[in-house]
Short mmCIF file of all heavy atoms in Angstrom, two decimals:
data_model
loop_
_atom_site.label_atom_id
_atom_site.label_comp_id
_atom_site.label_asym_id
_atom_site.label_seq_id
_atom_site.Cartn_x
_atom_site.Cartn_y
_atom_site.Cartn_z
N TYR G 81 3.85 -11.72 9.11
CA TYR G 81 3.45 -10.52 8.50
C TYR G 81 4.53 -9.57 8.25
O TYR G 81 4.60 -8.82 7.20
CB TYR G 81 2.30 -9.83 9.28
CG TYR G 81 1.15 -10.61 9.39
CD1 TYR G 81 0.75 -11.18 10.61
CD2 TYR G 81 0.34 -10.97 8.24
CE1 TYR G 81 -0.42 -12.00 10.76
CE2 TYR G 81 -0.74 -11.81 8.39
CZ TYR G 81 -1.14 -12.25 9.61
OH TYR G 81 -2.22 -13.08 9.69
N ASN G 82 5.59 -9.47 9.10
CA ASN G 82 6.71 -8.64 8.82
C ASN G 82 7.51 -9.13 7.59
O ASN G 82 7.93 -8.20 6.82
CB ASN G 82 7.73 -8.66 10.09
CG ASN G 82 7.13 -7.83 11.25
OD1 ASN G 82 6.32 -6.92 10.97
ND2 ASN G 82 7.47 -8.24 12.39
N LYS G 83 7.58 -10.45 7.45
CA LYS G 83 8.31 -10.94 6.28
C LYS G 83 7.48 -10.73 5.03
O LYS G 83 8.03 -10.47 3.95
CB LYS G 83 8.64 -12.46 6.49
CG LYS G 83 9.49 -13.02 5.34
CD LYS G 83 9.82 -14.39 5.80
CE LYS G 83 10.67 -14.98 4.64
NZ LYS G 83 11.04 -16.46 4.91
N ILE G 84 6.21 -10.89 5.10
CA ILE G 84 5.31 -10.68 4.00
C ILE G 84 5.52 -9.18 3.51
O ILE G 84 5.70 -8.95 2.26
CB ILE G 84 3.77 -10.83 4.38
CG1 ILE G 84 3.57 -12.39 4.64
CG2 ILE G 84 2.83 -10.40 3.17
CD1 ILE G 84 2.16 -12.68 5.26
N HIS G 85 5.49 -8.24 4.43
CA HIS G 85 5.58 -6.85 4.07
C HIS G 85 6.98 -6.56 3.40
O HIS G 85 7.03 -5.88 2.30
CB HIS G 85 5.48 -5.96 5.28
CG HIS G 85 5.51 -4.51 5.05
ND1 HIS G 85 4.70 -3.88 4.16
CD2 HIS G 85 6.45 -3.65 5.46
CE1 HIS G 85 5.17 -2.61 4.11
NE2 HIS G 85 6.16 -2.39 4.86
N LYS G 86 7.98 -7.16 3.96
CA LYS G 86 9.34 -7.05 3.32
C LYS G 86 9.43 -7.58 2.05
O LYS G 86 10.00 -6.91 1.09
CB LYS G 86 10.37 -7.70 4.29
CG LYS G 86 11.88 -7.50 3.88
CD LYS G 86 12.81 -8.13 4.88
CE LYS G 86 14.19 -7.94 4.35
NZ LYS G 86 15.22 -8.63 5.30
N LEU G 87 8.92 -8.78 1.75
CA LEU G 87 8.97 -9.43 0.46
C LEU G 87 8.26 -8.61 -0.54
O LEU G 87 8.67 -8.49 -1.67
CB LEU G 87 8.56 -10.92 0.58
CG LEU G 87 9.48 -11.84 1.34
CD1 LEU G 87 8.84 -13.22 1.48
CD2 LEU G 87 10.79 -12.01 0.71
N VAL G 88 7.07 -8.20 -0.15
CA VAL G 88 6.20 -7.41 -1.11
C VAL G 88 6.91 -6.18 -1.50
O VAL G 88 6.97 -5.81 -2.71
CB VAL G 88 4.75 -7.10 -0.53
CG1 VAL G 88 4.11 -5.96 -1.22
CG2 VAL G 88 3.90 -8.24 -0.30
N GLU G 89 7.50 -5.44 -0.59
CA GLU G 89 8.29 -4.23 -0.96
C GLU G 89 9.49 -4.61 -1.79
O GLU G 89 9.76 -3.80 -2.76
CB GLU G 89 8.80 -3.67 0.36
CG GLU G 89 7.74 -2.93 1.16
CD GLU G 89 7.01 -1.89 0.53
OE1 GLU G 89 7.62 -0.90 -0.08
OE2 GLU G 89 5.76 -1.88 0.33
N ASN G 90 10.16 -5.68 -1.53
CA ASN G 90 11.25 -6.06 -2.36
C ASN G 90 10.96 -6.52 -3.83
O ASN G 90 11.74 -6.29 -4.73
CB ASN G 90 12.15 -7.34 -1.66
CG ASN G 90 12.80 -6.81 -0.52
OD1 ASN G 90 13.10 -5.66 -0.25
ND2 ASN G 90 13.17 -7.80 0.28
N TYR G 91 9.81 -7.09 -3.96
CA TYR G 91 9.37 -7.67 -5.28
C TYR G 91 8.55 -6.73 -6.11
O TYR G 91 8.48 -6.83 -7.27
CB TYR G 91 8.53 -8.89 -5.11
CG TYR G 91 9.24 -10.02 -4.35
CD1 TYR G 91 8.44 -11.18 -3.91
CD2 TYR G 91 10.59 -10.11 -4.21
CE1 TYR G 91 9.14 -12.19 -3.29
CE2 TYR G 91 11.21 -11.17 -3.66
CZ TYR G 91 10.41 -12.25 -3.09
OH TYR G 91 11.03 -13.29 -2.52
N ARG G 92 7.91 -5.65 -5.47
CA ARG G 92 7.02 -4.84 -6.13
C ARG G 92 7.47 -4.28 -7.47
O ARG G 92 6.76 -4.09 -8.46
CB ARG G 92 6.54 -3.71 -5.25
CG ARG G 92 5.35 -2.88 -5.78
CD ARG G 92 4.92 -1.80 -4.80
NE ARG G 92 4.11 -2.36 -3.72
CZ ARG G 92 4.02 -1.90 -2.56
NH1 ARG G 92 4.79 -0.88 -2.20
NH2 ARG G 92 3.17 -2.39 -1.66
N LEU G 93 8.69 -3.77 -7.49
CA LEU G 93 9.16 -3.13 -8.65
C LEU G 93 9.94 -4.10 -9.69
O LEU G 93 10.42 -3.62 -10.79
CB LEU G 93 10.26 -1.99 -8.27
CG LEU G 93 9.59 -0.88 -7.38
CD1 LEU G 93 10.67 0.15 -7.03
CD2 LEU G 93 8.39 -0.19 -8.12
N LEU G 94 10.06 -5.29 -9.37
CA LEU G 94 10.67 -6.25 -10.29
C LEU G 94 9.78 -6.45 -11.54
O LEU G 94 8.50 -6.63 -11.40
CB LEU G 94 10.88 -7.57 -9.65
CG LEU G 94 11.89 -7.59 -8.40
CD1 LEU G 94 11.90 -9.01 -7.78
CD2 LEU G 94 13.30 -7.13 -8.82
N PRO G 95 10.31 -6.46 -12.75
CA PRO G 95 9.53 -6.65 -13.96
C PRO G 95 8.64 -7.87 -14.00
O PRO G 95 7.68 -7.79 -14.55
CB PRO G 95 10.58 -6.48 -15.12
CG PRO G 95 11.87 -6.73 -14.39
CD PRO G 95 11.82 -6.32 -13.01
N GLU G 96 9.25 -8.95 -13.46
CA GLU G 96 8.55 -10.19 -13.52
C GLU G 96 7.33 -10.24 -12.70
O GLU G 96 6.49 -11.21 -12.71
CB GLU G 96 9.47 -11.48 -13.18
CG GLU G 96 9.99 -11.41 -11.81
CD GLU G 96 11.33 -10.79 -11.71
OE1 GLU G 96 11.67 -9.78 -12.48
OE2 GLU G 96 12.25 -11.28 -10.95
N PHE G 97 7.16 -9.23 -11.72
CA PHE G 97 5.91 -9.21 -10.97
C PHE G 97 5.04 -8.15 -11.44
O PHE G 97 4.13 -7.67 -10.54
CB PHE G 97 6.33 -9.00 -9.50
CG PHE G 97 6.88 -10.24 -8.86
CD1 PHE G 97 8.19 -10.46 -8.81
CD2 PHE G 97 6.02 -11.09 -8.22
CE1 PHE G 97 8.77 -11.62 -8.23
CE2 PHE G 97 6.52 -12.22 -7.69
CZ PHE G 97 7.83 -12.46 -7.60
N GLN G 98 5.05 -7.69 -12.62
CA GLN G 98 4.16 -6.66 -13.11
C GLN G 98 2.95 -7.17 -13.80
O GLN G 98 1.98 -6.37 -14.02
CB GLN G 98 4.98 -5.73 -14.05
CG GLN G 98 6.22 -5.11 -13.62
CD GLN G 98 5.86 -4.23 -12.29
OE1 GLN G 98 5.00 -3.35 -12.41
NE2 GLN G 98 6.47 -4.52 -11.16
N ASN G 99 2.84 -8.40 -14.12
CA ASN G 99 1.64 -8.93 -14.73
C ASN G 99 1.53 -10.45 -14.57
O ASN G 99 2.43 -11.02 -13.98
CB ASN G 99 1.49 -8.61 -16.25
CG ASN G 99 2.73 -8.87 -17.01
OD1 ASN G 99 3.47 -9.85 -16.76
ND2 ASN G 99 3.07 -8.08 -18.01
N GLY G 100 0.44 -11.06 -15.07
CA GLY G 100 0.24 -12.59 -14.85
C GLY G 100 0.16 -12.89 -13.38
O GLY G 100 -0.17 -12.25 -12.47
N GLU G 101 0.29 -14.25 -13.21
CA GLU G 101 0.14 -14.86 -11.92
C GLU G 101 1.13 -14.28 -10.77
O GLU G 101 0.76 -14.09 -9.67
CB GLU G 101 0.24 -16.32 -11.98
CG GLU G 101 -1.09 -16.97 -12.48
CD GLU G 101 -1.04 -18.42 -12.43
OE1 GLU G 101 0.00 -19.13 -12.60
OE2 GLU G 101 -2.18 -19.02 -12.08
N PRO G 102 2.42 -13.99 -11.18
CA PRO G 102 3.29 -13.40 -10.17
C PRO G 102 2.68 -12.18 -9.60
O PRO G 102 2.80 -11.89 -8.43
CB PRO G 102 4.61 -13.19 -10.96
CG PRO G 102 4.59 -14.33 -12.00
CD PRO G 102 3.11 -14.37 -12.38
N MET G 103 2.14 -11.29 -10.47
CA MET G 103 1.66 -10.00 -10.07
C MET G 103 0.41 -10.25 -9.15
O MET G 103 0.39 -9.67 -8.09
CB MET G 103 1.18 -9.21 -11.28
CG MET G 103 0.46 -7.87 -10.97
SD MET G 103 -1.29 -8.13 -10.62
CE MET G 103 -1.94 -8.42 -12.33
N GLN G 104 -0.41 -11.19 -9.50
CA GLN G 104 -1.51 -11.52 -8.65
C GLN G 104 -1.19 -12.00 -7.30
O GLN G 104 -1.80 -11.65 -6.30
CB GLN G 104 -2.46 -12.54 -9.30
CG GLN G 104 -3.13 -11.99 -10.58
CD GLN G 104 -3.98 -13.04 -11.31
OE1 GLN G 104 -3.54 -14.16 -11.48
NE2 GLN G 104 -5.15 -12.63 -11.72
N PHE G 105 -0.14 -12.84 -7.24
CA PHE G 105 0.37 -13.50 -6.03
C PHE G 105 0.83 -12.36 -5.14
O PHE G 105 0.70 -12.35 -3.91
CB PHE G 105 1.28 -14.53 -6.25
CG PHE G 105 1.47 -15.54 -5.22
CD1 PHE G 105 0.62 -16.67 -5.12
CD2 PHE G 105 2.32 -15.30 -4.11
CE1 PHE G 105 0.72 -17.62 -4.12
CE2 PHE G 105 2.46 -16.26 -3.11
CZ PHE G 105 1.59 -17.41 -3.13
N LEU G 106 1.64 -11.43 -5.73
CA LEU G 106 2.34 -10.31 -4.97
C LEU G 106 1.15 -9.49 -4.45
O LEU G 106 1.22 -9.02 -3.24
CB LEU G 106 3.21 -9.59 -5.75
CG LEU G 106 4.04 -8.48 -5.03
CD1 LEU G 106 5.02 -9.19 -4.04
CD2 LEU G 106 4.87 -7.72 -6.07
N LYS G 107 0.15 -9.23 -5.13
CA LYS G 107 -0.92 -8.36 -4.72
C LYS G 107 -1.71 -8.99 -3.59
O LYS G 107 -2.12 -8.32 -2.64
CB LYS G 107 -1.81 -8.04 -5.89
CG LYS G 107 -1.24 -7.13 -6.96
CD LYS G 107 -1.89 -5.72 -7.00
CE LYS G 107 -1.40 -4.97 -8.08
NZ LYS G 107 -1.69 -3.53 -7.99
N TYR G 108 -1.88 -10.31 -3.65
CA TYR G 108 -2.59 -11.03 -2.61
C TYR G 108 -1.70 -10.90 -1.29
O TYR G 108 -2.39 -10.62 -0.24
CB TYR G 108 -2.69 -12.53 -2.97
CG TYR G 108 -3.23 -13.28 -1.83
CD1 TYR G 108 -4.47 -13.10 -1.31
CD2 TYR G 108 -2.47 -14.28 -1.13
CE1 TYR G 108 -5.05 -13.70 -0.29
CE2 TYR G 108 -2.97 -15.01 -0.08
CZ TYR G 108 -4.22 -14.73 0.29
OH TYR G 108 -4.72 -15.40 1.50
N GLY G 109 -0.32 -10.98 -1.38
CA GLY G 109 0.44 -10.81 -0.12
C GLY G 109 0.20 -9.49 0.39
O GLY G 109 0.12 -9.23 1.58
N GLU G 110 0.12 -8.43 -0.46
CA GLU G 110 0.01 -7.00 -0.03
C GLU G 110 -1.53 -6.89 0.59
O GLU G 110 -1.62 -6.27 1.58
CB GLU G 110 -0.03 -6.17 -1.34
CG GLU G 110 0.08 -4.69 -0.94
CD GLU G 110 0.43 -3.80 -2.13
OE1 GLU G 110 0.50 -4.39 -3.21
OE2 GLU G 110 0.45 -2.64 -2.04
N CYS G 111 -2.43 -7.62 0.02
CA CYS G 111 -3.84 -7.59 0.53
C CYS G 111 -3.85 -8.14 2.00
O CYS G 111 -4.50 -7.52 2.92
CB CYS G 111 -4.73 -8.44 -0.39
SG CYS G 111 -5.22 -7.76 -1.86
N VAL G 112 -3.18 -9.26 2.18
CA VAL G 112 -3.05 -9.90 3.56
C VAL G 112 -2.45 -8.88 4.52
O VAL G 112 -2.95 -8.80 5.55
CB VAL G 112 -2.27 -11.15 3.42
CG1 VAL G 112 -2.12 -11.71 4.89
CG2 VAL G 112 -3.07 -12.23 2.57
#
């Protein structure tokens, strides 16, 4: 969970994670 939180924080502002499946996957990590 510590790594999940760190990765979510690192990826959240990246443009490739703003929509589509990458965005959904990142949001799922945040949900967990």
